[in-house]
Amino acid sequence: MNYWLLKSEPDVWSIDQQIKSGEKGTDWDGVRNYQAANNLKQMKKGDLCFFYHSNIGKEIVGIVEVIKEAFIDPTDKKKRFVAVKVKFISILPKPITLEKIKKTKALKNLPLIRQSRLSVMPIDTKSWKIILNMGRIKKKKIHA
DNA sequence: GCCAACGTTGGC
DNA sequence: GCCAACGTTGGC
């Protein structure tokens, strides 16, 4: 299984809205960047993603799961980009701010920091675990 | 609101 | 195919 991080401006789509959408999940669409799209294409069913609020908050607020692998983004008229479907899994009891991540040496190489404009990025297993611990989230809760 | 870092577009 | 001009993202 692989891990990812998805960025969203909470003005446009927030974790609260993701929670309300429940088990059915929602399309993660609107990505118009090839690097981000390539990452979307590599996602497999069951992969987990951190949900990051950009601009407002600037923090990791929760976790979602990939429930449908890449398909043509229905919002893309030119049909060049893809979307995936995700559903809400968990909220972090303690959101992890960008500031904190920057201060954590082990996380210095995250694309979140090195490539601030990328909106869909892979997270290596080690970093994933570190962030989970920082967010005080129990592993059990994720698999619930 | 500003600006750095990218991406994209279009003229040549 | 290069590159200047322009547009966008997202942190500050």
Side-chain angles (χ1 to χ4, degrees):
Chain A
M1 165 160 46
N2 288 306
Y3 301 106
W4 311 89
L5 183 143
L6 297 170
K7 276 189 193 175
S8 181
E9 297 184 43
D11 272 0
V12 181
W13 182 253
S14 71
I15 191 77
D16 290 334
Q17 286 168 288
Q18 191 70 58
I19 291 170
K20 280 177 196 156
S21 73
E23 281 294 305
K24 277 187 186 171
T26 51
D27 289 354
W28 196 272
D29 55 23
V31 170
R32 295 292 181 271
N33 168 287
Y34 287 108
Q35 204 185 339
N38 278 335
N39 289 332
L40 286 179
K41 283 180 192 169
Q42 288 172 47
M43 289 184 180
K44 298 286 176 208
K45 232 180 183 176
D47 281 0
L48 297 174
C49 317
F50 284 127
F51 194 118
Y52 176 83
H53 279 172
S54 65
N55 281 316
I56 304 163
K58 280 173 283 181
E59 55 193 9
I60 295 172
V61 290
I63 293 168
V64 295
E65 179 186 338
V66 177
I67 55 172
K68 189 180 174 191
E69 294 173 16
F71 51 95
I72 298 286
D73 185 340
T75 69
D76 180 16
K77 280 180 191 161
K78 290 178 185 167
K79 301 183 177 179
R80 288 188 299 180
F81 292 97
V82 295
V84 296
K85 196 165 249 189
V86 300
K87 73 167 183 180
F88 173 76
I89 293 292
S90 163
I91 200 146
L92 297 198
K94 207 170 178 268
I96 299 151
T97 62
L98 180 63
E99 199 187 356
K100 246 193 185 169
I101 292 167
K102 279 189 164 173
K103 280 182 185 163
T104 307
K105 273 190 185 166
L107 300 176
K108 268 207 168 136
N109 288 325
L110 279 194
L112 185 67
I113 292 163
R114 297 205 340 222
Q115 244 183 305
S116 67
R117 289 186 50 195
L118 188 61
S119 64
V120 181
M121 66 188 76
I123 300 288
D124 64 281
T125 307
K126 225 182 192 176
S127 303
W128 175 269
K129 283 180 183 162
I130 293 170
I131 297 169
L132 278 192
N133 286 334
M134 288 167 72
R136 310 253 167 86
I137 195 159
K138 298 266 160 57
K139 255 201 165 171
K140 272 184 198 163
K141 220 175 174 185
I142 299 172
H143 296 294

